[in-house]
């Protein structure tokens, strides 16, 4: 009886440790997937992983930028430039990362914290990206390409003319933003990914 009790007590200690270990591996995998989706600009899968909470989805701002522009107003060429730019931001946001620790949140036992050390670019800092006035670039494009654009207006109408204007202005505008973005150097940053279970599935609820 004592022998059975000893074995039983041992199992009680072993199983929680095993479960905790499995949870940590699962949480590491979720963090890996999160960064993979970020780099691939995969907004849909990131929403599945993190929900649509802005604090948990680092792609939401980029997605909102893309949604600001519609094909009918700006033309497909401009939309393609915008999407190419946001894709470049996502791909270059984080150079590399290392998961350093997975732990339960002391103040919120339902939450786990994945600690990450990353080499990443801070595009939000005041000095990171130069700001260019898009209206000024449109005016410059109109002046520089006046003859060509006038011909488009006369032969194809107002919508085609506007699309041509936005296409040329977009090439210059997003080109300048890309050059500015490339000048931003990656820096060592400590990140924390907070996860909680929802319907038996781990969700990223916050990044800080």
């Amino acid at each position: 009886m004592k022998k059975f009790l000893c074995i039983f007590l041992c199992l009680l200690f072993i199983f929680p440790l095993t479960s905790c270990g499995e949870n940590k591996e699962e949480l590491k995998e979720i963090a890996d997937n999160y960064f993979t989706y970020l780099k691939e600009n995969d907004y849909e899968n990131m929403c599945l992983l993190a929900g649509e909470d802005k604090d948990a989805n680092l792609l939401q701002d980029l997605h909102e930028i893309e949604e600001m522009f519609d094909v009918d107003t700006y033309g497909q060429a401009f939309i393609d430039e915008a999407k190419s730019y946001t894709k470049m931001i996502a791909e270059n946001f984080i150079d590399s990362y290392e998961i350093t620790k997975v732990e339960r949140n002391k103040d919120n036992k339902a939450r786990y914290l994945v600690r990450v050390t990353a080499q990443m670019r801070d595009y939000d800092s005041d000095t990171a990206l130069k700001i260019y006035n898009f209206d000024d670039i449109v005016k410059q494009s109109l002046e520089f390409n006046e003859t060509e654009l006038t011909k488009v207006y006369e032969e194809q109408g107002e919508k085609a003319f506007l699309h041509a204007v936005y296409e040329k202005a977009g090439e210059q505008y997003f080109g300048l933003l890309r050059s500015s973005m490339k000048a931003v150097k990656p820096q060592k940053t400590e990140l924390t990914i907070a996860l909680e279970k929802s319907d038996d599935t781990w969700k990223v609820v916050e990044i800080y």
Side-chain angles (χ1 to χ4, degrees), residues 116-127:
V116 179
T117 300
Q119 288 289 333
M120 60 187 292
R121 291 169 175 81
D122 183 8
Y123 294 128
D124 288 331
S125 71
D126 294 336
T127 58

Side-chain angles (χ1 to χ4, degrees), residues 53-104:
D53 185 345
K54 200 166 187 176
D55 289 335
N57 193 337
L58 295 179
L59 285 179
Q60 187 158 314
D61 284 343
L62 296 184
H63 184 71
E64 288 174 357
I65 290 172
E66 291 183 5
E67 286 190 329
M68 287 170 59
F69 307 112
D70 64 277
V71 176
D72 189 58
T73 302
Y74 294 94
Q76 189 61 53
F78 181 89
I79 301 300
D80 290 343
E81 281 288 336
K83 287 185 176 180
S84 175
Y85 171 68
T86 56
K87 181 182 178 183
M88 185 177 179
I89 289 181
E91 289 176 345
N92 292 277
F93 187 41
I94 293 180
D95 270 14
S96 60
Y97 67 92
E98 179 186 2
I99 297 172
T100 56
K101 193 174 184 180
V102 179
E103 59 187 348
R104 191 184 290 272

